Amino acid sequence: MHDVVLTILPLLFGSFLAILAGWTRSALVYPLGVVALALSTGFCVKLLLGVLSTGTATYLLGGWSPPWGIVFVIDTFSAGMMLLISGSALLTYLAFRAEIIEGFAEKTAAFVALLLLTVAGHMGIVATGDLFNLYVLIEVAALSGYALLGYGSGRAPLASLNYLCVGSVGASLYLLGVGYLYILTGTLNMADLAQIMLAAPVTASLHGAVAVILFGLWVKMALFPFHGWLPGAYAMSSPVAAALLAPLTTKVMVYVVIRLLIGVIPGAAIPEALPDVAMLLGTAAIFAGSLMAYRQIDQRRMIAYILVAEVGYMVGGMFIGNRTAMTGAMLHIFADALMTLTLFLALGSIARQRGEMVLANMRGLFRTMPFTMAAFVLGAMSMIGVPPLFGFFSKWYLLSGALESGQYLFMVGLLVSSLVNVVLFFRIFETAFFDEPGESVRDIEHWSRVTPLAVAAVLLIVAGLSSGLIVDRLIAGIIPASLI
Amino acid sequence: MEDFLTQLTSKYNFWAYIVLMMVGLYAMIAKGNLIKKLIGLSIFQTAIMLFYVAIGSKAGATIPILRDHTLKGVIDFVEYINPLPHVLMLTAIVVSVATLGVALALVLRVYDVHQTLEEDEILEKIKNP
Amino acid sequence: MKKTALLAVILTGALLILSMENFPSWGDVQSPASLHLSRHFIEKSYEQTLTPNLVTAVLGDYRGFDTMLETVVVFTAALACFLVIRLPRDVCTPGLFYYRHTRTGLVVRKHDACELPGENPTFERVDSDWPPHDVVVVSTCRMVIPFIQLFGLYVVAHGHYSPGGGFQGGVIFAASYVLLAVSHDLRTLVHRLNERVTHLLSAAGVLLFFGVGLFGMAMGLNFLDYGALEGVLGMSLASGHSLGILLVEIGVGMTVTAALVIIFKLLSSRGTVTEGL
Amino acid sequence: MIETLVIFLCCAGMLLFLGGMIGILRLPDAYTRLHMAGMLDTLGLLILLLGLVLYGFLHAPMSLLVQFKILLLWGFVLVTSPTATHAMVDAGVRAGLTPWVQPDAKRRRK
């Protein structure tokens, strides 16, 4: 009965306890985080199984029924998202054990607490069925994210401050849009709102409300003209924060937009020009992201620019307006999160051994860190879209969806970005495979780092092979029948 | 023209918030000093709070605290203004204060690293260290 | 840059103005916003929660989860400031340090104090850039601070009947500590409320809120359902809700006080939490 | 009779506030402006609040608590406002701000 909320409560509870423990028994802090994340992941699995067998789960917080109180609504897709978020956070947390314990000295407790809070925030965003609650959760997730990304020397604080300004504007615009909808309908609950909006007259204000909400979320998800904060924030920060947040933040925002599009906002309320603008921005994001990724020297920055292109995939996919493309966009959320996780985990391990992540520092890695590089290759292949891996299937859905609707420019974008990814990653493979490692290089692969990475990489293959199952069980039931 | 005037007089609350919000947005985009950008952000968020609080108003109604004499009888919803936007804005105010606190902390760190708060000077220092 | 900014701002403003065409006019009693949810809140919340202040009732009870997250946001902000700007304790703090001989009033200046003398009875530390010890200010603030704190407690506790609640009361309470730091110096504040205490207090406040929610779950109801407090001390359902709101507001007050003091200490001392302002 | 007194007190309070405001805008340096703000606002508030107390006493004699609270408010402001002014002047002196002197007086001193 309490499964829905029990996925989030261990994280919140763990973060408060981490602070208490940090000032009394600091050795307990790291295990506390492991327990909290593991409990959360366990409950996510239980919730997913429950939702798969009994259908959508609803939880009334405070016991007040929907329009008056706040509810959590979990369907199969969001249960999958919850599992993805908590699972990837757990893997990151386990893989970066050494950094978390040593790297923050007296601040480990604060770091762990913030990490748990940001994961809780992201999971809450997925779970909540209330528009305003969503805003608060976005801020919980973002605020702790700013701190995690801003910790560090050099340009990290500036990049994080930049992210904070852009992110706050995005969230504020979302809040404004919610206010518009509240004026027009008098409610904040998503299901209630969907019903009222179906009957409400379609006016300029309704269009304005939808446009402002989507605009705010686009800013938050780093869609092309608003992507400026993303590469800096992920490339400058500590590897833990980047590996934790890169798979989550943009994907969760994409999830919110998809949820609003298919569950709340009726088609008539979307301004006519908006899908075209979205397609344009999505395609531009793909081209610009790939182009700028090509010019980067720092490898984390390069992958961050690829992320910008990936956001373009998903935004394009959801606004193409047919079932296949929407399925592709939803599947790509999972695929992109897993690929990013694998790549950032591998880069984190490499950065621990080799320092700065430039191409010259990656010589001979295949010889000294074979397992890490194997996982990196799998992640990169999936980014490129090589068949048995997860990334191929979501891209396939996106491509065939675009073909159905005749969005040829978008298709070209997808292919070009795949080609650019080939060039980018093979550049790395070449350096890492053929060049000799330096004399003084002594790389260590510890099992505690390799295991989470291997799990993520194997998941890429497993999920790729079972992507038909994922589409059938998790995604197909969620897309409304009206979308053909 | 007359239509415009009625719009202006009956919905001046929305005009006020839009003007205030645009002032904040302009400060965020055009000002070079990081602190001024943050002031712009605060103005931007305050404008949204103003907008919400204005939704709650009702002509001829009083603050949403029940008076003694209505506690026992029937409560007429016309007598009290709408409490929900106030609740929401209490949350939003707290959030914006928290954001400002974190932003100022980051600004302190930025100043420690770059020894200036002017954006163009920081960019200059990054390019030619 | 400025012209582009101006153009963008004007365009956005124009679009926003165009989109307010169908909004109800100012103070409209029949607008959807004042009918659907808020009508229910105004008419039903007193009998359900026994709280005349509708804002408190909605904030603490109907949207209690929002309020909990809001408290978490404040808690997060304190942690974030701590993580970002707190300097490690063992780092040698560069700069000038002043020590005053307590008997003679002689002030000694020391460069780059790596080893700060501990509790030395003959010398006391003086702030280098803010030595306010002004007798008028100090004695007035000493007189005023208890009243401010009393008022803060009143605002927390009286939130059911008048404007107020945990956030407002917590801010007032924190303001009294800020006044202490302004009128005396930061070390006086740190002496009264050291870092450990403030951090533990901020976590304890959120935990109190959380505990009330978990109590609901333990009694077989949903998370944050204050109906679980029914029967405690022989209370009715509605007064159980009222008590729940009060407990929650106390938790919020603790967290807000502690978090604001933490943020103030860190920002004013630039992360050293020894001297500043 | 008392009504007239109330009106007189309120108007006098407002007038003092007005004077304080003009002073803040027009006087030459920080110290004189603070002087204007501190002096006139404190006195103006005292007179204004006295007027309000009388008014409340006249129209709602049962709510003595409110009148008492208003008087408490006055006491509070009477203590804190000059302290704040004092602290600011103090800070100004410490920051090295020299007070404004009339130009010909300066010349005479030379």
Side-chain angles (χ1 to χ4, degrees), chain A residues 23 60 62 107 130 133 205, chain C residues 19 63 66 86 196 222-223:
Chain A
W23 290 90
L60 314 178
K107 298 183 195 167
D130 186 282
N133 194 233
S205 298
Chain C
S19 71
R63 301 192 70 85
D66 257 1
R86 180 74 170 100
R196 188 187 154 98
N222 280 358
F223 184 65

Side-chain angles (χ1 to χ4, degrees), chain D residues 30-109:
Chain D
Y31 296 120
T32 43
R33 286 179 196 179
L34 277 172
H35 174 81
M36 269 339 232
M39 297 296 120
L40 291 186
D41 281 10
T42 314
L43 187 63
L45 194 70
L46 164 65
I47 294 172
L48 197 67
L49 289 182
L50 270 182
L52 290 182
V53 167
L54 274 182
Y55 179 83
F57 193 67
L58 204 65
H59 286 269
M62 296 309 289
S63 61
L64 273 177
L65 189 62
V66 177
Q67 266 73 282
F68 181 64
K69 280 182 189 168
I70 291 178
L71 282 179
L72 275 185
L73 201 66
W74 166 62
F76 191 74
V77 172
L78 197 67
V79 175
T80 52
S81 172
T83 313
T85 316
H86 173 83
M88 270 190 274
V89 172
D90 213 33
V93 172
R94 203 170 280 130
L97 194 66
T98 42
W100 176 83
V101 190
Q102 219 172 6
D104 36 317
K106 214 190 271 175
R107 220 177 297 135
R108 229 179 292 146
R109 210 182 294 157

